[in-house]
Amino acid sequence: MADIETKSSQNQPLKTQKIFIGAQIFLRIVVIAASFTSTWLMLTNKQTIDIGGFVLDANYSYSPEFKFLSYANIVVGAFSFLSLLFLVLVGRRSSNPTYYFILFLHDLALMSLVLGGCAAATVIGSLGKYGNSHTGWMQICDHFGKFCKRATTSVAFSYFSLACLLILTITSASKSRQIQV
């Protein structure tokens, strides 16, 4: 009976390591998918309307904030793919806490980048939806509904990517705490 308990206690760290690696891989794939979906939605976001003979158009490229969000998501998706490759190549062979510290720093940098993009796009989206009467900026979402809905969906995917990166950052930080100096 003691022999069975010894084997199960030895397999516990290996099982925990496999679950951790599996969760990391899954979350990184989700980040890649959410980032590229957000980018695609924003880069293809445009709408043209005719108001009393005047043709007006809305395009993501007219807003530096939307461009920043798109470019940030491209960087986050690409670097998340590279971290996925790193995790598959290095993480399965070794449970060295130094590797998790590298992933922690990587995830923290990506999380900061996408957070900045989300914040900027949220502010400009709110301005487009509600306007600002004090500065004379009018709301545009009542005229460009399709454009605003698509931009909102893109920002929502970015926030989902941000949440996954937060989880990755926390889990990588907890694994890297085992570094021996």
Side-chain angles (χ1 to χ4, degrees):
M1 187 70 169
D3 190 36
I4 293 172
E5 289 177 9
T6 305
K7 284 184 180 180
S8 69
S9 66
Q10 289 173 349
N11 288 338
Q12 192 64 19
L14 183 61
K15 185 177 181 182
T16 305
Q17 179 69 13
K18 284 184 178 183
I19 291 172
F20 177 78
I21 296 293
Q24 286 270 321
I25 289 171
F26 173 74
L27 285 171
R28 289 180 195 286
I29 290 171
V30 169
V31 168
I32 293 166
S35 296
F36 287 140
T37 301
S38 175
T39 301
W40 177 76
L41 284 169
M42 192 60 79
L43 291 179
T44 59
N45 192 11
K46 57 187 166 192
Q47 183 179 1
T48 303
I49 60 170
D50 184 6
I51 299 178
F54 292 103
V55 176
L56 303 172
D57 65 331
N59 193 329
Y60 89 96
S61 64
Y62 298 160
S63 169
E65 297 83 4
F66 286 157
K67 287 184 354 182
F68 176 66
L69 178 68
S70 299
Y71 300 150
N73 276 319
I74 290 170
V75 169
V76 166
F79 276 94
S80 292
F81 180 74
L82 291 176
S83 71
L84 177 66
L85 292 177
F86 175 78
L87 187 66
V88 168
L89 293 175
V90 175
R92 297 186 100 179
R93 285 188 267 143
S94 172
S95 62
N96 187 347
T98 306
Y99 296 141
Y100 297 116
F101 184 69
I102 292 168
L103 285 174
F104 162 71
L105 293 177
H106 176 270
D107 296 337
L108 185 64
L110 293 184
M111 188 182 74
S112 300
L113 181 63
V114 78
L115 178 63
C118 285
T122 300
V123 167
I124 202 67
S126 175
L127 189 60
K129 183 167 178 78
Y130 301 110
N132 188 331
S133 60
H134 301 292
T135 57
W137 291 333
M138 299 178 357
Q139 57 186 355
I140 64 158
C141 285
D142 53 345
H143 300 292
F144 294 98
K146 178 185 159 203
F147 177 82
C148 290
K149 287 178 185 173
R150 201 167 165 103
T152 301
T153 305
S154 174
V155 173
F157 272 105
S158 292
Y159 273 113
F160 183 64
S161 175
L162 175 66
C164 292
L165 283 167
L166 177 63
I167 294 168
L168 284 167
T169 302
I170 292 169
T171 57
S172 296
S174 69
K175 275 291 201 181
S176 69
R177 289 182 57 200
Q178 301 165 355
I179 294 176
Q180 301 295 323
V181 180

